């Protein structure tokens, strides 16, 4: 419905599994027979479309002659998605394209004049979305925050995952795979044979009589582990030297 110069809407595009809630802010003396430039406004982390993006920036931009759509991110506000209140960076970036998909269907929106504006965490997501969403012709990030980097730094300060492991989930998979290999490979302790009646346990072969091939396999495995650790240590040192100039 329309309340003054604001229309409260929900939409679900064919490739979506839940609704996105948004407010459309219209310029004064809005004429449906005309087309207007449009702006997508993204709220900060932990916020909603009624705060900041929809209460400060959207009305001012509408007053300047733009059609502005302020939307709730997936899982938050009045938008759908489960679990509730989840801050999913990848999904938040995708939300921008979903909003534009709906925006270009409106007859009073000029599809060749669409901009995007984000505040705080929304500003960080705005820059990420603009890298691939080429329908944005203008991009504004207000006090943009890189939520991914923020989480990595907090985790590092609290003894959590490092920046490299956070950016490269496959490294954790390699560590788990290596652990499984060690538990099932040639280094696994062989079960002690059961003694037969009438035999003495002192006749069991000692570890010094193990087959030469098994000992060589164990040595090769240890050498590979040392080489892998040295390689990762070198890469980590390189990252530490260059971390001050890293873009993210």
């Amino acid at each position: 419905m329309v309340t003054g110069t604001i229309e409260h809407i929900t939409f679900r595009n064919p490739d979506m599994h839940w609704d996105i809630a948004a407010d459309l802010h219209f310029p004064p003396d809005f004429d449906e027979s005309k087309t207007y430039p449009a702006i997508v406004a993204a709220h900060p982390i932990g916020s909603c479309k009624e705060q900041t993006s929809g209460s400060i920036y959207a009305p001012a931009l509408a007053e300047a002659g733009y059609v502005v759509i302020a939307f709730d991110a997936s899982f938050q506000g009045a938008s759908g998605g489960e679990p509730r209140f989840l801050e999913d960076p990848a999904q938040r970036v995708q939300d921008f394209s979903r909003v534009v998909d709906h925006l270009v269907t409106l007859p009073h929106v000029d599809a060749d004049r669409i901009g995007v504006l984000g505040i705080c965490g929304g500003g960080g997501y705005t820059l990420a979305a603009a890298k691939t969403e080429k329908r944005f012709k203008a991009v504004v990030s207000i006090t943009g925050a890189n939520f991914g980097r923020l989480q990595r730094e907090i985790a590092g300060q609290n003894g959590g995952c490092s920046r490299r492991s956070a950016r490269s989930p496959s490294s954790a998979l390699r560590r788990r795979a290596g652990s499984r290999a060690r538990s099932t490979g040639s280094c696994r302790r062989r079960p002690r044979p059961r003694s037969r009646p009438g035999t003495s346990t002192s006749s069991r072969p000692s570890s010094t009589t193990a087959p030469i091939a098994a000992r060589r396999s164990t040595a090769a495995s240890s050498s590979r582990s040392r080489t892998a650790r040295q390689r990762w240590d070198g890469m980590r040192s390189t990252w530490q030297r260059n971390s001050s100039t890293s873009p993210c």
Side-chain angles (χ1 to χ4, degrees):
M1 67 177 180
V2 176
T3 305
T5 57
I6 301 177
E7 181 181 359
H8 308 291
I9 65 171
T10 59
F11 62 89
R12 182 184 300 193
N13 300 333
D15 60 343
M16 294 168 56
H17 297 283
W18 52 77
D19 294 337
I20 292 291
D23 288 342
L24 279 168
H25 297 252
F26 297 98
D29 302 323
F30 172 73
D31 186 349
E32 292 186 355
S33 63
K34 298 180 180 179
T35 58
Y36 297 82
I39 295 178
V40 177
H43 63 72
I45 295 170
S47 184
C48 60
K49 64 183 181 299
E50 289 82 10
Q51 298 176 341
T52 312
S53 62
S55 63
I56 298 176
Y57 294 96
L61 291 168
E63 190 73 21
Y66 297 92
V67 172
V68 185
I69 182 168
F71 67 98
D72 281 331
S74 293
F75 314 116
Q76 302 176 25
S79 291
E82 296 287 344
R84 300 304 300 162
F85 312 118
L86 175 67
E87 185 67 33
D88 185 336
Q91 183 59 53
R92 285 208 59 172
V93 171
Q94 292 181 13
D95 285 344
F96 286 90
S97 292
R98 303 298 180 263
V99 172
V100 177
D101 287 343
H102 174 74
L103 199 59
V104 296
T105 66
L106 304 180
H108 46 267
V109 169
D110 186 344
D112 293 325
R113 293 190 295 167
I114 298 177
V116 61
L117 176 146
I119 307 99
C120 193
Y125 296 133
T126 293
L127 297 177
K131 294 177 182 179
T132 56
E133 183 48 77
K134 301 306 180 182
R135 289 174 291 185
F136 289 141
K137 301 303 188 294
V139 182
V140 176
S141 175
I142 302 173
T143 62
N146 187 328
F147 184 70
R149 179 174 181 175
L150 176 64
Q151 291 298 94
R152 291 192 294 270
E153 290 178 349
I154 292 175
Q157 293 170 2
N158 291 278
C161 61
S162 66
R163 182 176 185 271
R164 179 170 296 281
S165 62
R167 292 186 63 188
S168 179
S170 60
S171 62
L173 296 177
R174 285 193 292 269
R175 287 194 296 272
R176 288 197 292 269
S179 177
R180 288 195 297 268
R182 287 192 295 272
S183 66
T184 58
S186 59
C187 297
R188 182 179 178 182
R189 177 178 292 183
R190 297 182 178 181
R192 179 174 296 179
R194 297 180 181 178
S195 59
R196 296 180 180 177
T199 61
S200 173
T201 56
S202 61
S203 62
R204 297 172 186 162
S206 65
S207 59
T208 57
T209 61
I212 296 177
R215 293 202 299 271
R216 288 177 176 173
S217 177
T218 301
S221 177
S222 299
S223 177
R224 287 193 296 270
S225 298
R226 287 194 298 272
T227 301
R229 284 195 299 269
Q230 292 169 356
R231 185 182 300 113
W232 282 112
D233 289 342
M235 295 175 66
R236 184 165 56 251
S237 299
T238 301
W239 168 77
Q240 290 174 347
R241 289 194 300 269
N242 299 330
S243 61
S244 60
T245 60
S246 179
C248 58

